Amino acid sequence: MALFFTLGVWMAGVLIDCFLKPNTLELSGNALSPISILTLCVIIVFVAIRILEINKFFIVIYFFGLITMFFNYMHIVGLDENKNQNDELTEAIVEYIEEKDYGYRLTCKTEGEGTIIYWYTDSSIGDGIDLIGSVIRANLINELELPEPPSNPNTFDYRYYLYGKGIYLSGRITGKGMDESEIQRSENRFYEIKKSILRRREDFLDRIFEDESNESKAFARGILFGDTGEMDEEVYESFQGNNTAHILAASGLHIGIIYLTYKRIKTAVDHLFGKSLVLDIFFKTFFVLFLFIYGTMTLWTPSITRAIALVYLKLLSEIVNRRYDMLSSVSLINLVMLIFRPFLIFAVGFQMSFFSAYAISIIAPRLRGKIPNKFALTVAIQGFLLLYMMRTYNSFSPVSIVANVITVSLASLYVPIGVLGFMRLFPVGRILSGMGELMIWLDGLIYQEGLFSSDVKSPGLGITAFYMLIIIYLSSETRMIFIERKEESRKASLMVHVVIILLATLFSFWGRSPFDKASQVFIDVGQGDAIHLDWGDEDILIDGGGRHNYNVGKKILKPYLLKNGNSDIDLALSTHEHMDHFKGIEELSEVFDVKEVLTWGNSGNRIALDDERYIEVLWPIPGNEDSSDENFYSRVFMVFDNGIRTLITGDITEPGERALMEEYRGTNKLKCDILKIAHHGSRFSSSTEFLERTSPKVAVISVGKNNSYGHPSNEVIEKLNDLGIIVYRTDIDGAIGIIKDDSGYIVCTNKTSKFDRYYMKSDVR
């Protein structure tokens, strides 16, 4: 239990350090309230520690966590200052290579730093295992930079995911390929061993599934080694919808199954031949080596690392004849992992592994005897992770417990059979193929194309933290002691409840974003437009982006909406039907509740929520919509948002701008506070006359990073700068939010963490 509290206090230091370095707002009056709560919380924690007779050493551990994270931030700041010095880069050593839609993603070491390199190429190099350990010439790699924060608020943070893996830089290789003169093949013994192990993994899959379907091979690759890259997307979605996708990510479950198989085989051998020191040493040595090989085949994910370390500690306790305590072992291993890589604390895989281990250690023992044992583990883990899973994956399935019992039971047979097949003890291809098909069929039967699974918006971080903390406390030995002591422990029990409430309150502050108050959000959908009007009871989407071979509606819009507390779209409007404006709306309608889609509108039409919030169509003029130039007749909307006027121009061209100005000559109809620059900043739009006529204080350009069109045009940027118009760009700033306040409006950005205040002009109102 002492190690459990040590870990918790150290993690508190790490999280507080992150809280004091928010990436959305600088510390200001808005942060004083949570900081005062934090101070009070820390004081109460220390008081509670004294009551629980826990050593004050934990105060030191708290500050050690804070200092550890501080030095990690300083390391990243140092890398940021030197990230453009590619002339000093001498080599990139390939650690691993994965095939992607755009080419390959290489995990490398550059000057001792973990680096992700994206290789955009049409050429094929097979599975790429032979490249592992090779040295790539530095002049092939374009500018190194820190991974970017998420583009849209509250969405997946790929930057922290990479930091947790020890990867701090990213770069690109462009071109059709690399010839042998640009690659120095490795002769390093470590990499040779790694390549040999990974090659045996591929040979094993090729051998046992030689006469079977590719689907069986892809499923085996996922369930045995955690690589779902080749799995059919619909199959993976059914597992995800049933909350059983964890069996497709090599995790502690797999190591637990392998360990139980090892124990059963060893017990059977001991029963047949009697206990022997020689046999015991042989089994333990063989099992330790096998786990090392298996960990390498699964690329040592945090979950696998923790689970294998747990088994090693268990074996060590048997060798030295000491009692093994799972809670202490889990806490020790997690503490060591986090000391070396504090950003692991933000990795979903690590969090789920961490929470599952504590559910097994603390909650499951309280359920045994009350419900059947085969359900106890599943109920403990699923119940404890309920809100966490809803927050992380935005889905809920009432049949997930049943699905997990069935899937885990079959996996407990599938994995050992796969291991025996890997060791060539007998042919298992047909068996694994049949079991894989059965598991896929059963999971699909339960899933019923989403009939029993529903999308849910993310619960608040504070509510999620309170739910999990209270379950841990109610299941803990500490509470049992309080119950036994009765009167003398009432004060301590009360203090624990107060601490949990205050910690949950602190988490609720930490989980906030300035976008929570934004009434307009220009969503980063890459090369395309998408504007979300969050008007309380009414959610309106103007355009939805869209790309070739990428589902923007499903992969960008839906996660953004659910993560930011929106369960439906009341109305979706389009400026015109070009792919980069309308395709995303169509895709979103297939996977999300979009109540109404409007693809028409003429000058004079009005869509009103109330007198202060409405949308007016300014263009086109009735009767002219049949022109072959869709951009010329792109619908133009003026959004009236509690006094803020935002002009949405779609892809209107310069001739269209002239026609629009002529239509509203002598009026203030086109005057606005915020202008959405037409056609992603193309040089064919945004004439100087139009910018002067609309007279915005702020301009927003929705544009994709490194797009092939050269948007936005330098000419347009210069015009905006010359006129003193402040420019925000989704490719640089990520999502851009507009917040109404008493004196005007605030513009906040997600990537660059800007928080700029502006005042509305009286002539615009």
Side-chain angles (χ1 to χ4, degrees):
M1 186 59 74
L3 277 169
F4 174 72
F5 281 110
T6 301
L7 175 64
V9 173
W10 187 88
M11 287 172 63
V14 168
L15 292 173
I16 295 310
D17 190 72
C18 292
F19 175 76
L20 294 176
K21 294 179 178 65
N23 61 0
T24 49
L25 289 172
E26 71 277 5
L27 281 178
S28 62
N30 294 329
L32 291 179
S33 177
I35 288 175
S36 63
I37 291 175
L38 162 65
T39 306
L40 178 62
C41 209
V42 170
I43 293 171
I44 293 175
V45 167
F46 291 164
V47 171
I49 285 173
R50 189 174 180 184
I51 290 172
L52 296 170
E53 299 178 356
I54 296 175
N55 198 299
K56 292 181 181 178
F57 167 72
F58 290 118
I59 299 175
V60 177
I61 293 294
Y62 169 81
F63 286 105
F64 178 59
L66 197 147
I67 292 167
T68 303
M69 201 57 169
F70 171 77
F71 279 110
N72 271 268
Y73 276 116
M74 293 303 295
H75 177 67
I76 292 171
V77 169
L79 290 174
D80 190 32
E81 292 174 351
N82 298 296
K83 65 186 178 182
N84 297 329
Q85 299 178 7
N86 267 43
D87 53 324
E88 298 181 5
L89 182 64
T90 59
E91 61 182 26
I93 304 173
V94 180
E95 298 279 328
Y96 190 66
I97 184 166
E98 303 163 87
E99 188 170 3
K100 298 292 181 181
D101 293 338
Y102 52 77
Y104 296 91
R105 184 174 68 187
L106 287 69
T107 304
C108 300
K109 287 283 186 184
T110 56
E111 297 295 323
E113 297 297 339
T115 305
I116 283 285
I117 296 176
Y118 305 96
W119 181 9
Y120 297 93
T121 178
D122 295 329
S123 60
S124 176
I125 56 171
D127 56 27
I129 291 176
D130 290 336
L131 270 182
I132 293 175
S134 299
V135 178
I136 301 174
R137 281 175 51 185
N139 63 341
L140 290 174
I141 304 168
N142 292 328
E143 179 180 311
L144 291 178
E145 57 188 6
L146 293 178
E148 292 185 343
S151 292
N152 295 309
N154 299 316
T155 53
F156 176 65
D157 196 330
Y158 185 60
R159 169 194 49 169
Y160 275 10
Y161 166 78
L162 291 179
Y163 288 170
K165 298 178 73 172
I167 297 169
Y168 298 102
L169 295 169
S170 67
R172 299 187 311 279
I173 296 175
T174 55
K176 293 296 180 182
M178 297 183 289
D179 59 42
E180 288 296 321
S181 65
E182 295 164 327
I183 302 172
Q184 180 183 337
R185 297 290 176 176
S186 169
E187 295 181 2
N188 183 293
R189 186 62 180 164
F190 168 78
Y191 288 113
E192 290 302 312
I193 293 172
K194 183 177 182 179
K195 285 195 291 186
S196 175
I197 292 172
L198 291 175
R199 177 60 64 203
R200 287 181 180 275
R201 182 187 79 174
E202 297 305 311
D203 290 344
F204 157 69
L205 290 170
D206 291 338
R207 172 170 48 85
I208 66 170
F209 292 106
E210 183 179 3
D211 300 321
E212 306 300 328
S213 67
N214 289 331
E215 186 179 83
S216 297
K217 182 178 178 180
F219 183 77
R221 184 186 293 277
I223 193 171
L224 294 176
F225 306 116
D227 182 357
T228 58
E230 297 180 8
M231 186 172 292
D232 183 78
E233 190 173 345
E234 291 184 5
V235 171
Y236 186 78
E237 282 182 4
S238 72
F239 279 87
Q240 206 168 35
N242 288 333
N243 290 335
T244 55
H246 58 90
I247 72 156
L248 302 174
S251 65
L253 170 67
H254 297 65
I255 300 301
I257 291 170
I258 292 171
Y259 177 70
L260 287 175
T261 304
Y262 156 79
K263 291 293 289 182
R264 286 168 183 160
I265 293 173
K266 187 175 181 300
T267 301
V269 171
D270 287 344
H271 181 73
L272 286 173
F273 301 102
K275 289 190 176 182
S276 163
L277 180 60
V278 174
L279 276 176
D280 190 58
I281 293 173
F282 170 78
F283 267 97
K284 283 185 169 63
T285 303
F286 175 82
F287 192 52
V288 165
L289 290 173
F290 175 79
L291 287 180
F292 172 79
I293 292 170
Y294 185 74
T296 304
M297 288 191 292
T298 57
L299 303 178
W300 292 102
T301 63
S303 181
I304 286 290
T305 302
R306 177 194 59 75
I308 289 178
L310 269 179
V311 173
Y312 283 171
L313 282 179
K314 174 68 174 171
L315 295 175
L316 181 62
S317 71
E318 293 174 3
I319 293 171
V320 299
N321 198 26
R322 296 289 296 272
R323 187 175 72 87
Y324 172 81
D325 180 69
M326 184 174 176
L327 182 61
S328 297
S329 299
V330 169
S331 300
L332 175 63
I333 291 165
N334 284 332
L335 180 59
V336 171
M337 290 175 68
L338 287 169
I339 285 174
F340 286 99
R341 287 187 183 169
F343 282 101
L344 261 178
I345 201 170
F346 299 107
V348 170
F350 178 84
Q351 290 173 4
M352 289 189 65
S353 173
F354 173 87
F355 293 143
S356 297
Y358 287 114
I360 293 168
S361 303
I362 298 173
I363 302 169
R366 305 284 175 249
L367 297 177
R368 291 194 178 102
K370 299 176 183 176
I371 61 175
N373 284 341
K374 64 181 179 181
F375 285 98
L377 282 181
T378 301
V379 171
I381 295 171
Q382 294 288 314
F384 183 53
L385 293 178
L386 178 63
L387 290 189
Y388 173 85
M389 297 285 281
M390 290 169 64
R391 178 176 174 80
T392 304
Y393 297 111
N394 297 108
S395 67
F396 171 71
S397 174
V399 298
S400 63
I401 291 179
V402 175
N404 268 277
V405 170
I406 294 172
T407 304
V408 171
S409 299
L410 290 170
S412 64
L413 296 173
Y414 191 103
V415 173
I417 292 172
V419 169
L420 294 174
F422 177 77
M423 290 188 273
R424 294 177 178 265
L425 295 183
F426 59 87
V428 297
R430 293 264 178 103
I431 298 172
L432 291 183
S433 181
M435 288 189 67
E437 289 175 5
L438 176 62
M439 292 174 73
I440 292 171
W441 179 78
L442 285 172
D443 211 79
L445 182 66
I446 296 171
Y447 182 59
Q448 289 294 310
E449 297 185 352
L451 179 63
F452 300 112
S453 177
S454 58
D455 294 325
V456 293
K457 55 188 182 184
S458 294
L461 185 58
I463 294 171
T464 304
F466 176 80
Y467 174 82
M468 298 180 79
L469 287 169
I470 204 71
I471 287 180
I472 283 284
Y473 169 64
L474 293 176
S475 306
S476 67
E477 292 179 1
T478 301
R479 179 173 173 268
M480 299 300 110
I481 294 171
F482 288 166
I483 291 173
E484 290 294 326
R485 292 181 180 175
K486 295 181 182 177
E487 293 293 330
E488 63 187 66
S489 295
R490 283 185 178 177
K491 183 179 179 182
S493 180
L494 176 63
M495 294 299 287
V496 171
H497 281 87
V498 170
V499 168
I500 288 173
I501 292 171
L502 289 176
L503 284 173
T505 304
L506 178 62
F507 271 108
S508 70
F509 277 103
W510 190 41
R512 288 184 180 178
S513 159
F515 282 84
D516 295 343
K517 296 181 179 180
S519 57
Q520 303 177 43
V521 178
F522 294 82
I523 308 167
D524 183 6
V525 291
Q527 185 69 9
D529 285 6
I531 302 100
H532 174 215
L533 304 181
D534 188 351
W535 284 351
D537 296 334
E538 196 85 7
D539 285 285
I540 299 173
L541 186 66
I542 301 177
D543 287 337
R547 303 183 215 165
H548 286 297
N549 304 319
Y550 190 84
N551 194 321
V552 169
K554 180 179 179 180
K555 296 181 178 179
I556 295 181
L557 295 178
K558 179 182 175 182
Y560 157 77
L561 291 165
L562 291 173
K563 294 290 184 188
N564 289 278
N566 301 283
S567 55
D568 58 44
I569 288 291
D570 296 282
L571 175 64
L573 305 170
S574 70
T575 55
H576 59 303
E577 281 64 66
H578 282 177
M579 180 184 66
D580 57 339
H581 293 255
F582 187 64
K583 184 170 179 276
I585 291 177
E586 291 181 311
E587 293 165 341
L588 182 66
S589 300
E590 294 172 0
V591 296
F592 196 73
D593 184 11
V594 179
K595 295 180 180 177
E596 186 177 3
V597 177
L598 286 181
T599 59
W600 55 270
N602 289 309
S603 172
N605 294 151
R606 177 178 289 198
I607 300 163
L609 180 62
D610 53 43
D611 291 339
E612 296 295 322
R613 294 174 295 179
Y614 59 92
I615 301 169
E616 186 174 337
V617 183
L618 300 182
W619 187 260
I621 305 302
N624 294 328
E625 310 91 299
D626 58 349
S627 169
S628 59
D629 185 355
E630 275 195 78
N631 286 342
F632 181 88
Y633 287 106
S634 178
R635 282 173 285 280
V636 175
F637 302 109
M638 182 69 80
V639 176
F640 294 83
D641 181 14
N642 287 306
I644 306 170
R645 291 169 59 122
T646 303
L647 186 61
I648 309 297
T649 54
D651 279 351
I652 194 168
T653 54
E654 208 169 308
E657 291 173 352
R658 288 196 298 270
L660 188 63
M661 288 186 289
E662 182 63 31
E663 177 68 21
Y664 294 105
R665 184 178 298 278
T667 72
N668 279 338
K669 277 279 191 179
L670 298 180
K671 292 279 187 179
C672 61
D673 298 288
I674 301 161
L675 172 65
K676 200 291 297 181
I677 295 296
H679 208 201
H680 323 293
S682 162
R683 64 188 178 89
F684 300 109
S685 300
S686 305
S687 64
T688 301
E689 185 183 359
F690 184 74
L691 294 176
E692 290 175 340
R693 183 76 173 273
T694 54
S695 184
K697 176 71 73 175
V698 168
V700 175
I701 304 177
S702 293
V703 63
K705 185 176 181 180
N706 300 321
N707 66 84
S708 59
Y709 305 99
H711 295 160
S713 162
N714 290 333
E715 184 182 333
V716 170
I717 297 296
E718 288 173 7
K719 289 179 189 176
L720 293 167
N721 290 337
D722 291 343
L723 292 170
I725 301 170
I726 309 301
V727 179
Y728 296 89
R729 297 167 46 170
T730 57
D731 61 333
I732 295 174
D733 298 304
I736 298 155
I738 311 299
I739 305 169
K740 177 74 173 71
D741 71 357
D742 294 337
S743 56
Y745 57 95
I746 295 165
V747 177
C748 59
T749 65
N750 205 61
K751 272 189 187 177
T752 49
S753 304
K754 295 175 183 175
F755 195 74
D756 303 327
R757 180 171 273 105
Y758 298 93
Y759 299 96
M760 291 183 292
K761 303 174 186 177
S762 57
D763 63 335
V764 173
R765 296 182 189 176

